[in-house]
Each structure stands twice: as C-alpha cells, then as structure tokens.
Amino acid sequence: MPGLDDSVQYAKGVGPARLDMLNRLGVHSIRDLLFFVPRDYEDRSRITPIKDLRVGDKATVRARVIAAETYRGGRGRAMARVEVADDTGHLLCQWFNARYFRADLFTPGREMIISGTVSFYRGVQMVSPQCDPTDGGEAFSAARILPVYPLTEDLPQSGLRRVIRSAVEQHASDLPDPFDAEYLKTRDLPALSEAVRAIHVPESLEQAARARRRLAYDELFILELAMALRRRGVRAEESGIAFRLTPEIDARIRRRFPFALTGAQRRVIEEIGRDMQAPKAMNRLLQGDVGSGKTVVALYAMLLAVANKRQAALMAPTEILAAQHHDTLRRYLAGSRVRLELFAGGRPAREREAANRRLAAGEIDIALGTHALVEGDVRFQNLGLVVVDEQHKFGVLQRARLRQKSLHPDVLLMTATPIPRTLALTVFGDLDVSTLDEMPPGRRPVASRWYPPEKLRDAHEFIRARVAAGEQAFVVYPLVEDSETLDLKAATTSALQLQREVFPEFRIGLLHGRMKPDEKERVMVEFRAGRYHILVSTIVIEVGIDVPNSTIMVIEHAERYGLAQLHQLRGRVGRGEKPSFFLLFAEPKNDDARRRLDVICSTTDGFKIAEEDLRMRGPGEFFGTRQHGLPELRHADILRDFRLLQLARRDAFDRVARDARLADPANALLRARLEETFKGRMDLIQVG
Ligand code: ADP
Ligand code: MG
C-alpha cells in the first residue's frame, strides 16, 4: 500500500488526467492530498422545497430530472439546460458552457440533490449548480455536509470528493501527531488524524470548524517556534548595558516635557525603561502613527542613556529628517547641559573632523544624523543607545555594523507604519514591540473625502482660497513622466500646467523620485520655509516631513494607491493648529479600489487602516513575505485566529525554553516540520 509521501498518482481514483490537474494545484504527494482543504462547505442537511426558493439564496433542493438538453446559444456557444421538479414546483438548471455539463448524469426521472445560488430568468433557475444523484455509486449524495474545494473548473468537485474521501479512509490514521492526547485535550484540539478526517468529511459544520482550528494551530505553532528560536539566537549573543533608572533621574527627564504624557506614552516609556535597566541588550520596535508622539519617547530613552554617562545616537532616513529631529530636540533641551550634534553631510571637512573628534572624546551626548553615523570613520566614545527612526529604511547589515562600534548598545527602532498587533507578533518574533495607540489631545482629524475627477476644479478654487489666506498645499501624482500605457497625468507636466493655467499667481515647487537627494532636500526645505505655496509631488514625500503650515493635500488617481501609502501621505497634513483637508480624486474601477477609498475616508486610525489592509491583501502581500521569511498561511488567518495565535506562541516559546535545540526525540517531528516549512531559510532561525 502506498505511504503518505508517495506520489498522489497512487491514490485511489487518480488517473493521468487528474494527476496533472492535482499537480497544478500543488498536490504532489498523498500527504498533500490530505491537507488540500476545502474552501467552504455546502450544507445539504437543509433541503428547500422549490416553491420556497428565494432569489439570491444559496439553497439545496431534492428533485427529479424532467428533461435535459444541450443546445447552441447566442454566438453559437454550446450550452446546456436541465429542467427538474419536486412536488412543489419546477426549477431550471443552466450551464452557459456545456463543457462543464455532465450529460450522462441527467437521465429523466433520476433523483438529484442540487445546490446552487438561486437566480431568476423567466422563472427560478440555478446557474452551474452542484448536482449529485441520490442513487447508488455516488456515496457523497448521502453526506449532509459537502466539502467545496478550491478548484479550476476542469476538475469537478464530485470526482475530487471521492478521491479525497478514500485517501482519508486509507491514510489519515497514518499521520503522526506531534502532540500527545493530554496536550491536545487541555487545548481543546482534536487529534491530527481526526482533524484531517473531519475537515474533509465533517458530520457538522462545528466539527469542520474544530478541525480547521487544529490545522491552524499547528501552522501557527511552527511559525512561532521559528520566532522563538530566532529570538533565542539574538538574545543569547547579546549581553548589554544595565542602565540605572532612579526616581530622581525619571523626574529630571520628565521635567523636559512641556505637556502631560499620554497614557500610551507613559506605558511605552515604562516598557523601555524596564528593557534598558535589564543587563541584556534592548531590541525594541516602537510603532505609532504619525503624530502619536514617538519623539518624546525616544528623547526619554536618550536622556536615560545620557544620565548614565553614555552616548546616544538618533538616526533618520534622510538629512532633512535628521535636521528636523535636531531642531525638535534642541527645543526640548533648551537650557540643559546635554550636548547635541547634528552630523550633516556637506559640512566643511574641518568642521566635520572636529565634530568627529569631540564624539570620540565623549564631548557629545546625543549625535543625530543619517545612517552615515554608523558608517565610515565616525567613532563614539561609549555609545549606549541607538534610536533608529523609520526602521524599514535601516537594514540588518547596518545594525550589525553598529554592534561592531560598541558593546551591544540598546536599540530602539521607530516606525510610523502601523502594523496590526497580530502581525507584529508573528513578524517581529525577535523584537519586542511597543505601541503608541493614542494620540496627544487636541489634534484635529484631517477631513478626508473622495470625489470623481470632474470635481478637481472645485478643489483648485478651494486651494486658491486657502493659499490666499496664507496656508500651503500638496498636490500628489503617481508618476514622474507621462506613460502611454498608464495614461496618468504626470507630476512634471501637471506642475507646469498648474503653474501656467491654474495658479499663475502662486509659486509652485516640484518634487519627484528622479531628482537627486540633495535637490529633493532643497525643495523640501524651501517648501517648509514657505517659499512655495504649492508643492507638486510624487509619493516621495511619504516619509516624516513636517510642514505645519500645509493644510491641504490633493491626490489625483487615488485609486492607484495602497491603503498604507494613502495613510502615510495624509500624515503630511494636519500637523498644525488649522483644520486640514485630504482630498482624493479617483475613478475606482473595482470593489477593492472603492473599498480602499471608503476606508481611508472613514477613519484616521492607522491601526484600523492597517488591519483593513491586512484583511484585504493577506499577510504575505501586506508585509512582503519573502523579506521577512514569513511562510504563507494556508489554514490560519492571522486576524481571525488571534487568540489561537497567542496560544500557539505561548506554547512554542515554552517548548523552546525547555528544549532550546529541539534535541529531545519527542520534538523530532516538530523539528522536521519546521525544516520543511522554512526550507532554505533556516539561517533566519538559527536552530541549534
Ligand atoms: P511622531 O514622531 O510620532 O510623529 P511627534 O513626537 O513628532 O510624533 O509628536 C507630534 C506632535 O505632538 C509634536 O508637536 C509634539 O510636541 C506633540 N506631542 C507629543 N506628545 C504630546 C503630549 N503628550 N501632549 C501634547 N502634545 C504632544
Ligand atoms: Mg517622528
């Protein structure tokens, strides 16, 4: 008898044609077949009399074939229709493509179970319904709950159901279970063989749901096992500095803040304080929407380092952002003895060398700059903390370089890209995550609306009025140059046109991705200084720039942007006291695009938007699966299964705490599954 790892061609009922189709669905072994799970179920335990069918419902009827025919429809296409009836009425079943019609099934008088969505065309009808005879041979007609597999139309459900059902009967009990009965019982999970049986041949929908929960648990457990191993690798190597944090130090730092901290800031500062006091290196991600007050939190951490006679570094993705941080910190630290230095490019060599010398001599407490701070010949005397703004611009490589510069400084990564809690847990297994989920008081939400493109003229008049009143505006386009294929307005031509035809009285700046970094910076600096009234731009303004006087952002072709991009863009306005406006012009061509526009206009909460984004795109797309080594999840849904994820995470971390190398023979199966899941990416995990 064939085993689980043998080719699916040895499974009962699989001939060459089916083999080919199964292979194309990613099913190669008999094991794959067992784990090829239904996408849905048809509940046929409820039979509806034909007279009670309602248009739009999914329903199942039990009826006899009256007549069946294939015929030529419009444009000569081969179509098929079958008339069936029960004691209460007649129903027409329609196939618009006769290829998917199995004429042999529909002999007059034969009783069938027919399931489909009810529609209306000269009477009630179902288009391409599922049909199974109730008589001998078709074992599945007796089953009340039928699995519906994700198939191409070439492979009919009924055939695959039979193949899988017999594979389940023959092979499911051979599946080794990595968890013992006691373990499963305390978690209310079925045995693996039982789950595989029930997911294909459930006795009830509840049983199917329980089966899915078990498969999802296993998947999440393996994922979290990888995270636990990865974290153990990171932790083991890094002993760090144990900073001293006394109530006096704490009070002294807090006196620097001109406002009461938000609850979220207080909580996060406590988390960071705890990490920094511990004798191991901090590796923490601070996430919070634009404007949630991350800078203050970072400042707290840096001042704690300085109070411990250590240096701190703050790194930003661009020079302009580094300069912006410098301005901000200078204001918070006015009148203190803390020595700040901005390591900007383009300074005379003499000045730069002098600054480097002071840094190496410990005469600078807080150094600000771009990644250049950790490259080249810059040396710190006793670097204790590194804060990295917008961590995704800062690669692993640079983190490694940083570590060479000093004995494991604490690291605080900051990002304004909200990541749903659930995903942060799974993706950043090797980081601790702190979340600022509360905005400082007194912020006005940016008024957000979307319009059809015809309304653009009105927006121009609106901009004219606001700019005349002393405010500034952004106009954003997706591309730099006209592209015939996409037929989008380009920023360059539009800037010219806006200048000449619409706003001859205003100064218009242009910013796009093809400009050199220093050109971009110059334009941004000038816009910020008020030398342009309107900035026409591609999405390069996405990151961090703060222009409190800009109150309007217009986005053309808004349907082309992702939710995260729109949210980031919106963060550029509403940074000052005045009411701000986010005006989207769009022609959504499908439901997803329309949904994105509705979502962005209905909330300014970055975490809600991120969750919606995750829901719409799935975790792989959302985060770039490969970059993070996140395997695709087939059974689990990170949002829906959050509780299960937490359970799996706790269990996996416990397991690694007890058996850090998974060397115990009892863990051999888990280890094998881990290797199977992370094939070729084991370096990410550092298993023993
Ligand atoms: P982020 O870096 O997260 O975008 P910032 O740290 O720049 O946010 O803070 C945004 C604005 O909110 C700043 O003007 C800052 O002074 C202000 N702010 C921060 N925390 C508070 C608070 N607790 N109460 C009032 N205003 C705050
Ligand atoms: Mg910031």
Side-chain angles (χ1 to χ4, degrees), residues 666-688:
N667 289 331
L669 265 175
L670 288 174
R671 204 189 150 109
R673 274 225 221 161
L674 189 72
E675 278 163 14
E676 165 76 19
T677 308
F678 288 87
K679 251 180 295 192
R681 289 180 305 206
M682 290 304 277
D683 53 320
L684 286 173
I685 305 168
Q686 307 174 9
V687 186

Side-chain angles (χ1 to χ4, degrees), residues 318-611:
T318 63
E319 299 254 338
I320 187 173
L321 289 173
Q324 195 172 291
H325 278 308
H326 185 235
D327 284 351
T328 309
L329 295 194
R330 224 172 20 194
R331 264 182 279 130
Y332 282 116
L333 296 174
S336 86
R337 279 171 315 202
V338 177
R339 295 159 297 181
L340 278 182
E341 183 78 29
L342 176 63
F343 287 75
R347 283 168 87 187
R350 287 258 303 281
E351 272 183 40
R352 212 172 48 226
E353 280 157 23
N356 285 353
R357 259 198 313 279
R358 276 184 290 134
L359 188 66
E363 290 162 17
I364 289 168
D365 300 309
I366 298 179
L368 299 105
T370 62
H371 52 88
L373 260 185
V374 296
E375 286 163 357
D377 53 2
V378 180
R379 289 220 335 273
F380 291 83
Q381 191 203 37
N382 58 0
L383 181 61
L385 172 73
V386 174
V387 179
V388 183
D389 197 11
E390 288 309 327
Q391 58 86 30
H392 58 272
K393 304 271 190 258
F394 188 74
V396 177
L397 193 69
Q398 282 160 329
R399 267 158 83 185
R401 282 219 191 96
L402 190 67
R403 299 218 164 90
Q404 291 161 11
K405 296 222 163 210
S406 113
L407 227 138
H408 306 312
D410 280 9
V411 175
L412 180 65
L413 305 168
M414 301 200 290
T415 178
T417 309
I419 303 149
R421 214 154 47 110
T422 44
L423 200 58
L425 264 186
T426 55
V427 174
F428 296 113
D430 54 346
L431 292 175
D432 295 300
V433 179
S434 289
T435 301
L436 286 178
D437 50 8
E438 185 185 344
M439 286 287 176
R443 291 208 124 219
R444 297 183 194 224
V446 178
S448 307
R449 294 271 315 261
W450 72 271
Y451 305 91
E454 306 87 82
K455 296 276 186 191
L456 198 55
R457 272 168 193 287
D458 300 351
H460 289 158
E461 290 320 305
F462 185 64
I463 290 177
R464 197 185 315 282
R466 311 300 298 200
V467 171
E471 298 168 22
Q472 288 168 284
F474 292 104
V475 178
V476 181
Y477 298 97
L479 283 183
V480 181
E481 277 162 16
D482 273 319
S483 147
E484 288 167 6
T485 45
L486 288 174
D487 188 30
L488 295 179
K489 278 192 223 167
T492 36
T493 49
S494 306
L496 264 178
Q497 194 193 346
L498 277 183
Q499 178 75 81
R500 285 199 198 125
E501 295 165 24
V502 188
F503 298 119
E505 73 271 43
F506 297 141
R507 279 189 305 278
I508 296 184
L510 173 64
L511 188 71
H512 62 70
R514 307 258 174 95
M515 289 161 76
K516 296 207 190 74
D518 52 331
E519 277 180 279
K520 273 195 245 176
E521 297 230 17
R522 206 197 61 236
V523 173
M524 273 319 308
V525 168
E526 293 191 340
F527 182 60
R528 203 170 163 212
R531 281 196 280 278
Y532 297 119
H533 300 106
I534 298 169
L535 186 64
V536 172
S537 168
T538 58
I539 60 170
V540 289
I541 40 162
E542 237 181 295
V543 192
I545 192 76
D546 198 353
V547 186
N549 193 46
S550 63
T551 56
I552 304 172
M553 179 173 285
V554 166
I555 312 258
E556 293 199 33
H557 301 291
E559 73 280 359
R560 309 234 167 209
Y561 293 85
L563 269 175
Q565 281 177 319
L566 289 173
H567 182 64
Q568 287 294 311
L569 285 167
R570 178 164 58 187
R572 304 299 119 233
V573 289
R575 321 244 331 160
E577 312 281 285
K578 297 174 200 133
S580 293
F581 304 88
F582 188 57
L583 310 176
L584 303 166
F585 294 87
E587 271 179 299
K589 300 231 162 45
N590 56 46
D591 286 349
D592 268 8
R594 191 167 300 113
R595 172 116 191 97
R596 285 198 300 273
L597 295 165
D598 288 340
V599 167
I600 199 76
C601 292
S602 68
T603 180
T604 51
D605 180 333
F607 287 94
K608 277 203 196 119
I609 290 167
E611 290 223 340

Side-chain angles (χ1 to χ4, degrees), residues 9 125 132 146 158 196 225 227 281 294 416 496 512 532 540 562 577 581 645 676:
Q9 77 185 87
Q125 70 164 16
D132 291 290
L146 288 188
S158 52
V196 166
L225 200 59
M227 294 302 162
K294 293 183 292 297
L496 264 178
H512 62 70
Y532 297 119
V540 289
E577 312 281 285
F581 304 88
L645 172 66
E676 165 76 19

Side-chain angles (χ1 to χ4, degrees), residues 19-194:
L19 176 66
D20 189 45
M21 287 184 275
L22 284 169
N23 284 171
R24 266 187 278 137
L25 290 164
V27 176
H28 300 281
S29 66
I30 289 177
R31 184 193 305 274
D32 293 343
L33 191 60
L34 295 181
F35 286 95
F36 187 73
V37 300
R39 64 170 162 77
D40 200 2
Y41 297 91
E42 269 170 38
D43 185 358
R44 298 194 176 178
S45 50
R46 291 223 320 268
I47 299 282
T48 307
I50 288 176
K51 74 169 170 41
D52 294 338
L53 291 178
R54 285 209 323 253
V55 172
D57 283 356
K58 273 175 76 173
T60 299
V61 302
R62 178 190 289 263
R64 286 187 186 284
V65 176
I66 306 291
E69 62 167 344
T70 52
Y71 63 101
R72 294 270 156 204
R75 290 190 223 121
R77 211 149 42 127
M79 311 212 268
R81 62 188 163 212
V82 176
E83 186 189 355
V84 301
D86 67 6
D87 295 342
T88 70
H90 286 238
L91 169 70
L92 191 69
C93 303
Q94 174 75 52
W95 283 261
F96 290 114
N97 187 343
R99 231 174 106 212
Y100 305 120
F101 173 70
R102 291 178 53 197
D104 58 310
L105 280 181
F106 299 93
T107 45
R110 197 173 191 189
E111 190 187 54
M112 314 279 277
I113 300 287
I114 298 166
S115 294
T117 303
V118 183
S119 55
F120 193 88
Y121 179 76
R122 296 181 189 158
V124 280
Q125 70 164 16
M126 289 183 182
V127 174
S128 303
Q130 283 291 316
C131 300
D132 291 290
T134 57
D135 48 16
E138 295 274 342
F140 264 92
S141 57
R144 290 148 68 86
I145 304 211
L146 288 188
V148 179
Y149 295 99
L151 297 178
T152 55
E153 279 206 77
D154 286 352
L155 188 57
Q157 293 285 347
S158 52
L160 190 69
R161 281 175 188 151
R162 247 168 310 164
V163 168
I164 291 187
R165 189 189 175 115
S166 73
V168 166
E169 277 163 7
Q170 278 190 25
H171 300 284
S173 57
D174 300 342
L175 283 168
D177 203 319
F179 302 113
D180 63 42
E182 186 56 35
Y183 183 96
L184 293 170
K185 192 166 161 230
T186 58
R187 287 158 184 78
D188 194 27
L189 294 166
L192 186 59
S193 53
E194 171 53 25

